[in-house]
Structure formats: C-alpha cells, structure tokens
C-alpha cells in the first residue's frame, strides 16, 4: 500500500495524514474485493523494516490507526462475510493491538466469503528463515527426516500454511519492487503496477488491475499452446 507519504507531501500535509487517508482506501478495497468474490486478499500494512526503521512517532500512529480499524471494521467484515487473519511476527506488536487483532480474528473466524490477511511486522526473508529454523528443530527432535524435506515441507512451516500462492501482486505509487513481500508465495505471481498512490486507490483501479490479470497468459514455466516446435 505504497504512496501514503507522497500523497500527503503533495498536499503539503504531514505523512500521518496520508496513512489516515490510506485506511479509507483499505476499507473500500476490502469491501470491493469481498463483493467481487475474491477468495483471498493480503495487504502489506507494515513490514519488519517499516517497524524497525521508521520514526517511532510514525510507527505509533500506524498502530493507533490499525487498532481503530480492527475495532471499527468488525460490523463491515461480518456484513461482507470476511474472515480476518494476520501474518508476521505479531507478538512483537503492542499488546493492545494484538488483543484487538485476536478479537477480530476470533469474531470473523467462521466467515467464508473472503479471507483478508494483514501482513504486520512482516518480512518475507524472515518468514522463510523462521520456517527453516522450525524444520531444523523438528529434524533434531526426530520428527522430520531431512532427506524428505521438500517445497511442501517448507510450505507447511510458513506462518500461515493455508495461504495459497499469490496470483496477482498489485503495486501502487509506481513501485516496481517486491519489497520482501510473501517471497515464497509470489513465485509465479503476475505483477501489476499503477502510479496511483494508495490513498487514491479505488474500485476503478481495482477493476483495471483485475482486467489486466485476466488478460495475462500464465505459463508456470511451461509452454502455451502454439508456442512452436
Ligand atoms: C507505505 O507508504 C505504507 C505504509 C508503511 C503503511 C500502510 C498503512 C496503512 C494504509 C494504514 C493502516 C493499515 C490498516 C490495515 C488499517 P509510505 O509511507 O512508504 O509512502 P511513501 O512511499 O510515499 O513515503
């Protein structure tokens, strides 16, 4: 959800105004995705690097917005049959945020329409390193034979083993990087980038992204029909 800071700068406002405007985009896009019957939507709300390297004031402001979102959006999530989950090192977040997150996750656990994943204090490399550690520990404990460790084994040790691979990775504010996001899960993701900053991202942009995705021909390393001899 890039471009909150730039959106604010362009208006001569403080960066935190951009994050507050970004929450409105989150609300709208979650609702639109649920209505469009997307099965999963993962939002990169806070990277490990954001959490460590941004000024403390900005991080605390993001925590305030997140906590408020988790409380305020409960009725909308229920109404739209959205199940909330999270990924990342959640236990390192402030206790008050973790409490509201767990409450919203529990409340929405039975919803089956769309799964919304918030990536919080998340880093893709760290997720893979954490999985490697868990596998090594299981091997030492005699629960896993190292000879049979394969891609499926790694997948089962990720933060949320039920999360499917990413089909479409949307980048806002013109970014063309993957920024340490779901590195394992985006192996074959189609990437779509827009110059629109996240606070301005709305249904027409989502429709544009989905239309672009629908026009992609996915090969997964294989060949398309008519690829030649
Ligand atoms: C990146 O923009 C955005 C973030 C680091 C935070 C995203 C958070 C929200 C949209 C609000 C809180 C989230 C939820 C789920 C309620 P940036 O600050 O890097 O922008 P810039 O690249 O223009 O400086």
């Amino acid at each position: 959800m890039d471009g909150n800071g730039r959106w604010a700068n362009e208006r001569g406002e403080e960066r935190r105004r951009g994050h507050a405007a970004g929450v409105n985009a989150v609300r709208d896009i979650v609702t639109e995705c649920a209505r469009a019957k997307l099965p999963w939507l993962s939002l990169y709300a806070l990277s490990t690097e954001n959490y460590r390297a941004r000024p403390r004031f900005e991080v605390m402001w993001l925590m305030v917005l997140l906590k408020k979102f988790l409380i305020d959006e409960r009725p909308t999530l229920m109404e739209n049959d959205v199940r909330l989950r999270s990924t990342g090192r959640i236990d390192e977040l402030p206790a008050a945020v973790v409490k509201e997150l767990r409450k919203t996750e529990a409340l929405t656990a039975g919803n089956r329409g769309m799964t919304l994943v918030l990536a919080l204090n998340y880093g893709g490399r760290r997720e893979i390193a954490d999985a490697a550690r868990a596998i090594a520990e299981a091997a030492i404990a005699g629960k896993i034979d190292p000879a049979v460790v394969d891609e499926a084994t790694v997948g089962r040790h990720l933060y949320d083993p039920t999360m499917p691979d990413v089909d479409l990775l949307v980048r806002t504010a013109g970014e063309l990087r993957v920024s340490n996001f779901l590195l394992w899960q985006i192996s074959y993701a189609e990437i779509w980038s827009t110059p629109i900053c996240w606070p301005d991202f709305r249904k027409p942009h989502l429709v544009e992204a989905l239309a672009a995705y629908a026009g992609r021909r996915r090969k997964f390393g294989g060949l398309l029909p008519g690829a030649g001899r």
Side-chain angles (χ1 to χ4, degrees):
M1 297 189 283
D2 247 292
N4 292 352
R6 272 163 280 181
W7 184 93
N9 283 341
E10 282 163 14
R11 286 158 181 78
E13 304 227 38
E14 292 175 45
R15 294 177 53 79
R16 67 192 180 104
R17 288 270 154 240
H19 294 314
V23 175
N24 297 330
V26 171
R27 184 182 304 112
D28 282 14
I29 292 302
V30 168
T31 302
E32 291 303 338
C33 287
R35 286 185 186 154
K37 306 234 174 293
L38 296 196
W40 287 71
L41 171 68
S42 302
L43 295 177
Y44 203 2
L46 192 74
S47 71
T48 310
E49 293 73 25
N50 292 152
Y51 197 53
R52 282 191 193 144
R54 297 236 169 170
R56 197 173 154 70
F57 172 77
E58 183 168 336
V59 173
M60 284 305 123
W61 175 247
L62 284 168
M63 292 297 108
V64 167
L65 291 175
L66 178 61
K67 186 174 157 219
K68 187 168 162 24
F69 174 87
L70 290 167
I71 297 169
D72 292 353
E73 295 309 308
R74 282 173 192 151
T76 313
L77 294 174
M78 294 308 290
E79 204 178 297
N80 290 301
D81 201 20
V82 176
R83 176 175 69 142
L84 181 84
R85 294 172 75 103
S86 53
T87 187
R89 292 258 191 109
I90 303 300
D91 294 342
E92 293 173 4
L93 297 173
V97 172
V98 177
K99 186 176 147 211
E100 299 306 336
L101 176 65
R102 297 303 182 212
K103 268 170 90 169
T104 310
E105 286 177 335
L107 176 75
T108 61
N111 291 347
R112 290 289 172 266
M114 180 178 82
T115 300
L116 168 65
V117 182
L118 296 183
L120 299 163
N121 190 22
Y122 175 85
R125 285 185 172 184
R126 197 151 81 159
E127 178 175 28
I128 295 169
D130 284 347
R133 187 182 322 101
I135 292 168
E137 284 168 359
I140 288 167
K143 292 179 188 155
I144 288 182
D145 174 2
V148 301
V149 171
D150 58 9
E151 291 180 21
T153 318
V154 176
R156 281 195 299 275
H157 289 82
L158 296 174
Y159 293 149
D160 183 350
T162 69
M163 183 191 285
D165 280 353
V166 173
D167 290 313
L168 173 63
L169 175 64
V170 172
R171 294 285 341 220
T172 55
E175 299 299 352
L176 296 171
R177 296 183 290 273
V178 295
S179 296
N180 205 14
F181 185 53
L182 299 177
L183 292 183
W184 185 270
Q185 300 88 336
I186 64 166
S187 294
Y188 279 98
E190 296 292 329
I191 302 178
W192 184 82
S193 179
T194 173
I196 301 292
C197 288
W198 175 254
D200 286 333
F201 193 86
R202 287 296 183 281
K203 185 177 178 182
H205 311 112
L206 178 69
V207 169
E208 207 185 315
L210 295 176
Y213 173 77
R216 301 279 175 93
R217 303 178 79 196
R218 304 181 78 192
K219 296 194 296 178
F220 298 98
L223 291 177
L224 292 172
R229 291 191 287 143

